[in-house]
Structure formats: structure tokens, C-alpha cells
Amino acid sequence: FLADYPDLALTLLMPREAGAATSLTHYQLEVLREKNRSLSQRLKDLVTVAEENQALVGRVHQLALRLVRAASFRDTVLAIAASLREDFHTDLVRVCLTGMPRLMLDEAWLIEVDPAEESLVPFADVRARMDPLCGRLRADKLNFLFGELSGEVASAVVLPFGVAGFLGVGSADPNRFHPGMGTVFLRQIAELIGTALVAAAARPA
């Protein structure tokens, strides 16, 4: 009965003298210990999440500083790639620019295409929704972003940032990016990058 109604056990007042009630007192103590273990684990989980969020806030801040310091469109694009690699410790980064000034850099992480390019069709939905796409990508998306390295990508995220284009980040870890992960910071990153790129492209050369 008390196993089915543990809260009732906590409200019972038992005599202190030894006797038949000794085992029930022990049961009350065990219930309290179990609740304490459960609360301790929940507190530990909350602290872990808080520490992870604090670290992400710092990385987003570093990205913002890099973008503010960029003196040109070229510097802005380079700052994005550098921040993703160095601050966010990503495995594979792809910056896809659509309709932006051409930099013609010989870099594997930079993809420059015309907005009407047929190869962008697989990304039409995610760009229209402006929501990050996390998890395992279809082969057409993987091939566009990572080419010969697509076989090494076990999970990825596509991060659209408006008319300027989108990011592709791949990882060999299948659990690094997944559909159930939080996207608040990803949206903030996309907004920062999109705003910075459009502003830098409009800046006089």
C-alpha cells in the first residue's frame, strides 16, 4: 500500500520506541533518500544545461565581435568561417552565398552560387521556413555541401540566413546534430550572420 502511495508514508508520525513500527520508519527513510537522490540528479542536470548554455553564449558573443570588427565583405565571410571552426569547434563548415558579391576564394568551405541555380532546389523548403534543419541530411543536400567528404558526415545542420544564403555544418558524430536539439542559439547565429552579410555587401568597397 505504501509503495503505491509514497507521499502518504512521509506524513505518518511513528512512535520512537522500538517495536513493530521499526520497519515502517525505515521505509520512510528510504522514501526520503530516494526523493533526495532524484532531486540531486535533477539539480545536476540543470547545472549541466546551464553550463552548456553559458558556453554557447560566449561563443555567440565571440562571433558577434568578429563580425563587428570585419572591415569588408570579404573579412565578414572569413570571420564567419573562422568563428565556426575555432569558436564552435565544428568538423566541416560550408558557407553557401547566394546572390552576394563574388569573392572567388579557393576555399573548400566557400560555395558561391546564383540564386536561380538549380542545385539550390533541395534547400528551398528549409530556406523558406527559415528554421534550422538538424539531423541526417538527404544525399542531394550532403553532396551539394560536402562533395567527396559527404560519406564522412554522420549528422549535420543547415542554417539558413535569408537571401544571403545558408550554412552547412557536418560532423562525424551521429549525435552532434539531431532533430530534437534546441535551436534558439542556432537562430540567433543565423540572424547575426545574415544581418552582417547584407550590411557588409551594401558597404562601399
Side-chain angles (χ1 to χ4, degrees), residues 132-135 137 145-146 155-159 167-170 177 181 186:
L133 176 63
C134 307
L137 302 184
L145 290 170
F146 306 110
S155 66
V157 59
V158 176
L159 190 59
L167 291 176
V169 180
F177 304 109
M181 67 185 297
L186 292 177

Side-chain angles (χ1 to χ4, degrees), residues 58-75:
R59 291 166 187 163
V60 174
H61 179 66
Q62 289 300 317
L63 171 61
L65 289 178
R66 288 178 185 262
L67 295 176
V68 169
R69 293 168 181 156
S72 64
F73 180 77
R74 182 179 185 276
D75 290 343

Side-chain angles (χ1 to χ4, degrees), residues 157-179:
V157 59
V158 176
L159 190 59
F161 43 75
V163 296
F166 53 92
L167 291 176
V169 180
S171 174
D173 181 359
N175 298 316
R176 176 71 184 275
F177 304 109
H178 54 87

Side-chain angles (χ1 to χ4, degrees), residues 10-160:
L10 298 178
T11 64
L12 295 177
L13 297 177
M14 302 306 300
R16 291 181 178 274
E17 61 270 14
T22 302
S23 61
L24 186 55
T25 303
H26 177 72
Y27 175 76
Q28 287 179 294
L29 181 59
E30 285 302 313
V31 170
L32 287 172
R33 285 174 176 168
E34 182 59 33
K35 282 203 168 187
N36 184 58
R37 285 191 290 266
S38 177
L39 289 173
S40 296
Q41 185 59 48
R42 289 177 62 187
L43 179 60
K44 183 179 179 180
D45 293 341
L46 288 173
V47 170
T48 299
V49 171
E51 290 174 344
E52 291 174 352
N53 287 342
Q54 185 177 13
L56 279 172
V57 168
R59 291 166 187 163
V60 174
H61 179 66
Q62 289 300 317
L63 171 61
L65 289 178
R66 288 178 185 262
L67 295 176
V68 169
R69 293 168 181 156
S72 64
F73 180 77
R74 182 179 185 276
D75 290 343
T76 299
V77 176
L78 292 175
I80 293 168
S83 181
L84 290 172
R85 289 195 307 265
E86 299 167 14
D87 300 330
F88 291 88
H89 310 295
T90 53
D91 296 338
L92 289 172
V93 178
R94 295 294 184 267
V95 180
C96 181
L97 301 180
T98 60
M100 292 284 101
R102 293 295 180 106
L103 296 177
M104 306 302 291
L105 298 176
D106 186 18
E107 297 285 354
W109 54 263
L110 180 61
I111 303 172
E112 297 178 294
V113 296
D114 186 84
E117 184 73 35
E118 187 176 350
S119 58
L120 294 177
V121 172
F123 300 92
D125 289 345
V126 64
R127 296 186 69 190
R129 292 194 308 268
M130 286 296 292
D131 281 332
L133 176 63
C134 307
R136 297 183 178 181
L137 302 184
R138 293 200 322 247
D140 51 0
K141 291 184 175 68
L142 285 175
N143 290 333
F144 175 86
L145 290 170
F146 306 110
E148 297 178 354
L149 299 178
S150 60
E152 301 178 12
V153 179
S155 66
V157 59
V158 176
L159 190 59

